[in-house]
Amino acid sequence: MASLVYTPVHDLPQIREHLRASFRRGKTDSVAYRKEQLLQLAYLFQDNIPRFQEALLADLRRPKIETNLFDLSIIINECMYAYKNIESWTKPEKVPFSIDWFAFSPKVYKEPKGTVLIITPFNFPLYCLAPLTGAIAAGCAAVVKPSELTPVTSALLTELFPKYLDNDLYRIVNGAVEETTKLLELQWDHILYTGGGRVGRLIAKAAATHLTPVTLELGGKSPAVVDANADFDMAAKRILWAKMINAGQVCVAPDYVLVPRHVQSKLVDAFKKHWFAFYGPDPHTSDSFSRICSESHWDRISGMLKNTQGNVILGGEMSKEDKYISPTVVTHVSFTDSLMKEQAQNPLEIFGPVLPIVSVPDIDSALEYINSHDHPLALYAFSNDANVCDYVRKRTLSGAFVANDLLFQGIVSAAPFGGVGGSGYGVHKGKFSFDTFTHQRPVLRSPKWIDLLMSIRYPPYTDKNLKKANQAAMPKIPYPRPGEGDSVNWMRWSVAVFTVLLVVANRTRVLDAIRA
């Protein structure tokens, strides 16, 4: 396997300028060209499935089924979804008819923003290329900066990109802090970043220097709320699965569980059952469990686990040499525990295979805690009562909400994926990715004869023209003032009924006259 070579820092401005010049030549104006590049991107992954499986096995010891389900299948589907829908997405839209403006034939044209930067994370390096499909469909040129923490996968992408995609418009740039810092000094027409909040703030600050629009997908502590009326066996099975995929390194994984105190033991028993069914007596030897991406991340997660005051009921084994932390479940965790550690008054995401269970008096207590911190990227609720799930949804705010399951909100191509508040802003997936990289440009075409109707806009301004302007342009509010609605509405209804009765009476007299 090829080693990862960082892009020389002094080359980065030239790469950006080359892509910008290629974009300005209008090559991406053609929808047929964009479809060709989308198809090429899809084949890049389909032709190299075994190589990507081996690369992610080397980087994360990722099971092949997880690579197929959560990276390869999703990015290929995103390419195909954009390929099938690009004609309708790019078609100019007429604005709703208005008697005031129809003469201008107003339309909204979908135009590419320009040359964009996409910075992807280590945990799902192929899935997080999904926004690139939107950039291609929108007609943008793009630089992709993959993570240096998955060097084998990033090296493979670097090798394959110029073989499949137009190197004049789509490039991979590799590096770490120095290279990323240089990239952020350059002006881009949009930046999309997936990763942690600390770096997200730095990116937003750098982008603000150039007034560059930014999409941030930042993760956060996504809770799973389990109601006393839940199916505990199903909830435990699904939560454990979602938490331990990719060794917990999933931005929408359930970070912690909130459950009413009097039913906690039922949920714990179900976790024990499925833990052994998933991983056997020794998860270290399991082929169904990944590893932590780096020693620094291992140090952070293991430090949180070592300092917990809760009870480790499942797992807890660690090996720094293997970057291994076993699938771990911890009970009797308080809101002040190391696993719920706060920074700037917001809990830090664990982003690893450690699941704390926090018992609470009731669902309202759970929601009070959730609402006292940053809005999470995802929120999950488990209950046999649909009203309870709706109650949790209505009383909270999160990037996405899922009842009685987890993670699937990130797979649906037709639905937006993104955060709110501390978990980020902006969305992608499917058409939402296209919209992210598209400028909605209103276009009006004024006819010569319009001055026959709009001559009052020209000086000199006279009282006569002011009166005409008020008659023509000043809107009259057709609705009653708040508090006066009932009396005014009844008056209008009375006038309407009286008018109808007069019409009917007059018609009756006319018919009687004809018959006579």
Side-chain angles (χ1 to χ4, degrees), residues 465-480:
N465 282 350
L466 175 61
K467 184 177 180 180
K468 289 181 179 180
N470 287 340
Q471 290 173 344
M474 187 63 66
K476 294 179 175 59
I477 302 173
Y479 312 108

Side-chain angles (χ1 to χ4, degrees), residues 196-197 201 216-220 346 373-377 419-425:
R201 287 176 173 85
L216 299 178
E217 193 272 274
L218 303 179
N346 280 295
H373 298 91
D374 276 348
H375 304 307
L377 184 59
V420 57
S423 57
Y425 47 80

Side-chain angles (χ1 to χ4, degrees), residues 29-75:
D29 291 349
S30 166
V31 171
Y33 169 81
R34 301 181 198 180
K35 292 183 72 173
E36 174 191 294
Q37 294 301 300
L38 287 168
L39 206 54
Q40 283 290 98
L41 184 60
Y43 276 114
L44 182 156
F45 295 108
Q46 182 172 287
D47 293 347
N48 297 280
I49 288 174
R51 296 189 69 187
F52 280 113
Q53 289 173 337
E54 291 302 318
L56 284 161
L57 185 66
D59 284 330
L60 297 169
R61 229 192 88 170
R62 168 92 68 74
K64 291 180 180 180
I65 189 172
E66 289 186 5
T67 294
N68 284 5
L69 290 177
F70 301 108
D71 263 319
L72 288 165
S73 67
I74 295 174
I75 182 61

Side-chain angles (χ1 to χ4, degrees), residues 34 86 89-91 108-114 116 133-140 189-190 213 430-441:
R34 301 181 198 180
I86 186 171
W89 294 351
T90 55
K91 187 177 180 180
V108 177
Y109 282 75
K110 319 296 180 59
E111 301 190 352
K113 287 184 175 178
V116 303
T133 65
I136 293 173
C140 293
D189 298 304
H190 196 102
K431 186 176 184 297
F432 297 94
S433 292
F434 171 84
D435 290 341
T436 289
F437 295 107
T438 296
H439 172 56
Q440 310 278 343
R441 189 180 189 185

Side-chain angles (χ1 to χ4, degrees), residues 90-96 101-111 439-445:
T90 55
K91 187 177 180 180
E93 293 182 10
K94 293 182 179 180
V95 303
W101 303 110
F102 80 93
F104 288 85
S105 303
K107 292 182 180 179
V108 177
Y109 282 75
K110 319 296 180 59
E111 301 190 352
H439 172 56
Q440 310 278 343
R441 189 180 189 185
V443 174
L444 289 76
R445 305 179 191 279

Side-chain angles (χ1 to χ4, degrees), residues 471-493:
Q471 290 173 344
M474 187 63 66
K476 294 179 175 59
I477 302 173
Y479 312 108
R481 292 179 185 276
E484 297 180 0
D486 290 344
S487 59
V488 175
N489 284 340
W490 276 113
M491 184 179 295
R492 287 183 176 177
W493 275 109

Side-chain angles (χ1 to χ4, degrees), residues 76-131:
I76 294 172
N77 276 323
E78 284 290 304
C79 292
M80 291 297 90
Y81 188 78
Y83 182 89
K84 293 174 183 176
N85 291 283
I86 186 171
E87 279 91 354
S88 63
W89 294 351
T90 55
K91 187 177 180 180
E93 293 182 10
K94 293 182 179 180
V95 303
F97 177 81
S98 167
I99 193 66
D100 296 326
W101 303 110
F102 80 93
F104 288 85
S105 303
K107 292 182 180 179
V108 177
Y109 282 75
K110 319 296 180 59
E111 301 190 352
K113 287 184 175 178
T115 305
V116 303
L117 174 63
I118 299 172
I119 304 175
T120 65
F122 71 85
N123 58 329
F124 288 100
L126 311 184
Y127 169 89
C128 290
L129 280 172

Side-chain angles (χ1 to χ4, degrees), residues 340-362:
M340 305 296 286
K341 184 179 178 182
E342 294 191 355
Q343 185 177 69
Q345 296 183 331
N346 280 295
L348 292 175
E349 185 176 5
I350 296 172
F351 214 69
V354 180
L355 181 65
I357 299 177
V358 182
S359 62
V360 292
D362 50 38

